[in-house]
Amino acid sequence: MPRWFHRTLAFLLFAPVAPAWAAIPVYGYKVVHAWPHDTAAYTEGLFYKDGHLYESTGQVGESTVRKVALETGEVLQRHRLPRQYFGEGIVDWKGRMVQLTWQSGTGFVYDLASFTPQKTFSYPGEGWALTRDDRQLYMSDGTAELRVLDPETLAEVRRIQVTADGVPVTHLNELEWVDGEIYANVWLTDRIARIDPASGHVVGWIDLSGLFDISQLPNPVDDVLNGIAWDAAGKRLFVTGKCWPRLFEIRLVRRADR
């Protein structure tokens, strides 16, 4: 999301939700490995496929989609969006890559291998993030609802209301499908929600407090946690943030205190 928002806004927005967090299992983390990450990458979308990371970066005039070497952080392939677009979430589907933009109501479909644009599509409201299972796509728009999209037509099929102990969880951002659950960054927090896609209920929180000290960054107000990728074959979970110098492979650890 854009650079002019403030973390104080998050405190006001999420204060009513905090009691619901306390009743749901909380997971901490153990860092397995830290990989290089491009500090110029304002990460909005991320997924892992066939040994590489695919990343979407934001900011008007600077947005890209890119293929990245996990081990080195080197950008192997890049496509720049037209300057008027603010790039958002991405997902792969049958040899294609689908990308959202923030407030333009326009999405792009690319050939995954070449990054050649194939078509555009439209949607109402904002576009934040995308993920998928083997049947459909899931889209976040900054609200407490996830949109379910037909992967071929990209038309909206239905919506899922996301709640934690009955309280709507807003500002759902970057998404990833992980072993039957949807993981969602909650924007401007250090938390990832683990969402049951059938019910929309948050069945667990991942608390990534202390993973990286964003006060080290030039724009700590904006360069927050955002970006989740899952290596399904290797069972590896990767997380990063906007303009972070590291991408972390982590293992979840159930916390006794919650």
Side-chain angles (χ1 to χ4, degrees), residues 62-224:
E62 302 175 12
S63 297
T64 67
V65 287
R66 45 178 71 184
K67 181 179 180 180
V68 178
L70 169 64
E71 294 81 4
T72 64
E74 178 187 0
V75 179
L76 305 175
Q77 193 173 343
R78 185 191 330 248
H79 170 78
R80 297 187 182 278
L81 276 67
R83 292 190 60 83
Q84 68 268 33
Y85 293 107
F86 190 116
E88 289 282 352
I90 51 173
V91 70
D92 70 297
W93 182 263
K94 295 184 178 179
R96 302 188 297 275
M97 179 166 58
V98 183
Q99 182 185 33
L100 303 174
T101 59
W102 180 35
Q103 292 182 317
S104 305
T106 300
F108 296 93
V109 179
Y110 308 93
D111 175 77
L112 182 61
S114 66
F115 285 9
T116 301
Q118 295 183 332
K119 66 177 182 178
T120 62
F121 63 99
S122 299
Y123 49 86
E126 297 185 359
W128 284 38
L130 288 167
T131 192
R132 70 173 181 89
D133 58 16
D134 59 359
R135 298 181 299 110
Q136 52 203 0
L137 308 186
Y138 300 87
M139 169 184 168
S140 63
D141 59 11
T143 70
E145 291 186 324
L146 296 178
R147 308 183 194 187
V148 181
L149 308 182
D150 181 296
E152 300 297 336
T153 66
L154 300 172
E156 183 178 326
V157 176
R158 59 188 175 88
R159 297 196 179 197
I160 302 168
Q161 178 81 10
V162 177
T163 60
D165 284 345
V167 179
V169 180
T170 62
H171 288 72
L172 299 171
N173 201 357
E174 224 279 298
L175 305 175
E176 184 71 10
W177 183 268
V178 180
D179 283 350
E181 296 177 356
I182 297 173
Y183 284 23
N185 281 120
V186 181
W187 182 53
L188 291 177
T189 79
D190 293 321
R191 293 229 171 179
I192 292 174
R194 297 177 57 170
I195 303 164
D196 175 0
S199 65
H201 296 161
V202 174
V203 295
W205 294 106
I206 302 171
D207 183 356
L208 296 182
S209 299
L211 178 62
F212 179 73
D213 180 7
I214 62 174
S215 69
Q216 303 174 24
L217 300 175
N219 295 286
V221 169
D222 305 285
D223 294 340
V224 295

Side-chain angles (χ1 to χ4, degrees), residues 20-38:
W21 288 7
I24 294 171
V26 177
Y27 297 80
Y29 62 91
K30 177 179 177 59
V31 174
V32 177
H33 198 93
W35 308 96
H37 182 250
D38 182 4

Side-chain angles (χ1 to χ4, degrees), residues 49 87 173 246:
K49 184 176 177 63
N173 201 357
R246 294 285 183 268

